[in-house]
Amino acid sequence: QDFLIPIRFALAIVLALSLPEPALLAAQAPAADGRIEVIVDSSADMRAPIGDTERVALAREFLDALHAGLAAGETRAPGLRLYGSASPRTRRDCSDTRLVVEPGAGAERWAAAVRGIQPHGIAPLATALEAAAADSVSTYVLLTEGGDDCRVDPCEVWREAIGGGSNRAARLHVVALAPSTENLEQLRCLSRAG
């Protein structure tokens, strides 16, 4: 059975976690350096609707609320990594990932990058996770529609990427936008591994 927390409920949780309530912050605070990177699925599949709204529109709403919530607290602004946005789907580019906003960048840069998200290609999720792990931040948030289109196990890649590296204490939080049943177990694995 597929389950989905409505995006607005997820936004409420993110905003609640950003309030200066010591008990909440103690349980949810990022690791010591406080750097956060959000990894966003920008593949063509993000154009598919949930109800009457495209997944990409819900993703933008989530990203805006996340940034605003973090800005209200004492956490540095997050970085933003996209995957599946630079190459056309027909090219099947399994290396299509890029960091478009460095952690700590200004609100204007974040807002422009979020507005500029245009779902385009396939979803090289494992490649994006491996590249993100090399960015060495303490907390990652994966916002995705589903799994990897390049026949690579993203859970295994994530475990290997953070397993013995300098950021092995990093946490990965998964926000899935109505994933298919076949992708759900893979995303659960990522959530448990992170």
Side-chain angles (χ1 to χ4, degrees):
Q1 174 182 347
D2 212 6
F3 64 92
L4 171 69
I5 298 174
I7 194 72
R8 285 165 184 85
F9 181 69
L11 291 172
I13 291 171
V14 169
L15 291 174
L17 292 176
S18 69
L19 296 175
E21 181 68 39
L24 284 176
L25 292 178
Q28 298 295 327
D33 74 0
R35 291 178 357 127
I36 299 171
E37 184 171 314
V38 184
I39 308 161
V40 179
D41 182 348
S42 299
S43 68
D45 293 336
M46 289 292 282
R47 292 212 182 273
I50 297 177
D52 293 336
T53 308
E54 285 186 348
R55 284 178 170 95
V56 69
L58 295 172
R60 286 186 193 112
E61 185 178 339
F62 176 86
L63 292 167
D64 286 342
L66 176 66
H67 192 273
L70 292 172
E74 294 181 20
T75 306
R76 286 178 59 188
L80 181 63
R81 173 175 292 282
L82 304 179
Y83 65 96
S85 67
S87 298
R89 191 167 187 82
T90 54
R91 188 166 163 221
R92 298 204 51 82
D93 183 357
C94 289
S95 65
D96 181 1
T97 183
R98 59 201 165 100
L99 187 65
V100 294
V101 178
E102 295 278 338
E108 301 81 22
R109 189 158 173 215
W110 175 272
V114 168
R115 281 191 311 271
I117 296 173
Q118 294 299 319
H120 200 49
I122 62 170
L125 173 56
T127 300
L129 291 171
E130 187 172 36
D135 295 337
S136 296
V137 302
S138 59
T139 304
Y140 297 89
V141 178
L142 170 63
L143 179 57
T144 185
E145 160 292 319
D148 187 279
D149 289 337
C150 296
R151 297 191 178 113
V152 180
D153 180 356
C155 194
E156 186 61 33
V157 167
W158 179 251
R159 283 188 187 127
E160 288 178 17
I162 64 165
S166 60
N167 64 340
R168 63 183 166 274
R171 299 291 306 149
L172 174 66
H173 304 278
V174 178
V175 178
L177 299 175
S180 67
T181 304
E182 66 188 66
N183 289 329
L184 192 57
E185 197 52 44
Q186 202 170 61
L187 295 174
R188 283 184 178 140
C189 178
L190 276 170
S191 184
R192 287 189 295 263

